[in-house]
Amino acid sequence: MEFETLKKTPVFKALSSLGKRIYQPNGIFHWTGRAKKEAEINATIGTAVGFESDIVEGGREKLLTYYLPELKQYINLPPEKFASYAPIAGIPKFRDLWEKWIIYKGKNAINLPSGSIDVSGKITKPAICNGITNSIFLISKFFLNPGEKIICPNKKWGNYNSVLHLQNQIEIETFQFFNEGQLNINGIIELMQQISKVQDKIVLILNFPNNPTGYCPTKAEIQDILNLLKNFCDSSNKPVIIFCDDAYEGYSYSDERVGTSIFYELIDLHPNLIPIKLDGASKEILMYGGRTGAITLGIHSSWLSISEKEIFLKEWENKMQGMIRSTISNSNHFYQEVLIEILNGGFEKMEESRNKIYEILKKRYFASINAFDKYKTDGITIDPAGGGFFVFINIDKIPANEFADHLLKKYKVGTFPVVSEKEEINGIRVAFCSIPLEKIDETFKRINLTLSDLL
Ligand SMILES: Cc1ncc(COP(=O)(O)O)c(C=O)c1O
């Protein structure tokens, strides 16, 4: 594959050396796929295949991937739905459903400045990988060479450091997430300007609701981000790649906050802007152990003519398959089938069922904010939030590790300390998502007692 169409878009220019180099050759999955359709005898893939009746009493006279018969005691799906490998970038049915789910979320957007946004035909088929962690690993390698820079807020998911920096050797450049209690949008743009002086592309990762603070922007803030990004792109000729880490999409608890990914607004914002949506089942469908994530590119309407679009999609698909096949090979088959069952039942139905958990989390969120206010004293502040699974408490004078240790040892409350002198962070992340409502007041009371003990 020569990627002639991809090369005409700003996406190709923005790729890392690996991104430019990688492709999925017509390997085993290609020949197996062909053999399934064309062969009388299929001697392609290295999985043990035979008649079910060979291995199970009363089994079917059907060729399938052999499985240990005991598995059927634990799994209620037919063995065809868990024993064999899933296709490299996911089961087509699941990918179609996840694409529809992405479109559905845009059409039912919560508080985005443009209201409901229809991205049908404007996105690539989601490429399925092993959770959002894996999608961040793959996509950052795809766009960034070792030594290149990515922009993150200082308050960020701790694992970014391991994935982006320790694994992929990318330099993380941070801006202060908040400035006087407000989202520091200028900080993002200033860093973009700085980086554009030394790098031929600008890469940014946005995560709303944010881990560790729970921050969800307001509609006005999203609009400000969009305006500033557009101005930046107008004045710079460099591709701007935005990874939207949408792990907590949908978990916003306040009417003033945006509950849908900024990704939808980024598509078509500017020809040089390349938005990538990273979402998945872990939090959205409460299936953390399912390890199912998706990588989806937003396509600017100026990039391709109608006739080029299909070729572009094939080329992107080939690159994504190359990335997946050369790292994790393919993702969990069983959980994709489970998700097919769930999503096939209708998105509204899934949301209705999830809503019980959403409402519980919402109550815990407000209880956390109220309890913090009730017990607050000098020396601790809470970051603005609005959604997600956590709140973040900044501690003035006591090292956060010492604070968390005392809180745990003396008051038996476990929290997660985050300390970075360089990024001016010293605080604890409180995962209200895992505290029963009736224990929330007590949690914050004990946090306050810890402060009194140590000050
Ligand atoms: C911001 C953020 N991104 C990504 C992830 C990882 O998601 P997954 O479990 O799908 O890999 C998490 C999980 O904690 C997270 O907080």
Side-chain angles (χ1 to χ4, degrees), residues 130-134 136 157 160 207 209-211 245 247-248 280-283 288 291-293 390 429:
N130 198 251
I132 301 183
T133 310
N134 181 230
I136 297 167
W157 184 36
Y160 284 171
N207 164 230
N210 166 270
N211 177 358
D245 175 345
Y248 302 91
S282 305
K283 273 96 182 173
Y288 316 91
R291 308 311 306 134
T292 309
F390 314 103
R429 187 186 76 173

Side-chain angles (χ1 to χ4, degrees), residues 426-442:
N426 184 62
I428 53 168
R429 187 186 76 173
V430 180
F432 64 79
C433 58
S434 57
I435 318 173
L437 188 62
E438 53 282 11
K439 297 252 163 78
I440 285 188
D441 190 273
E442 185 60 26

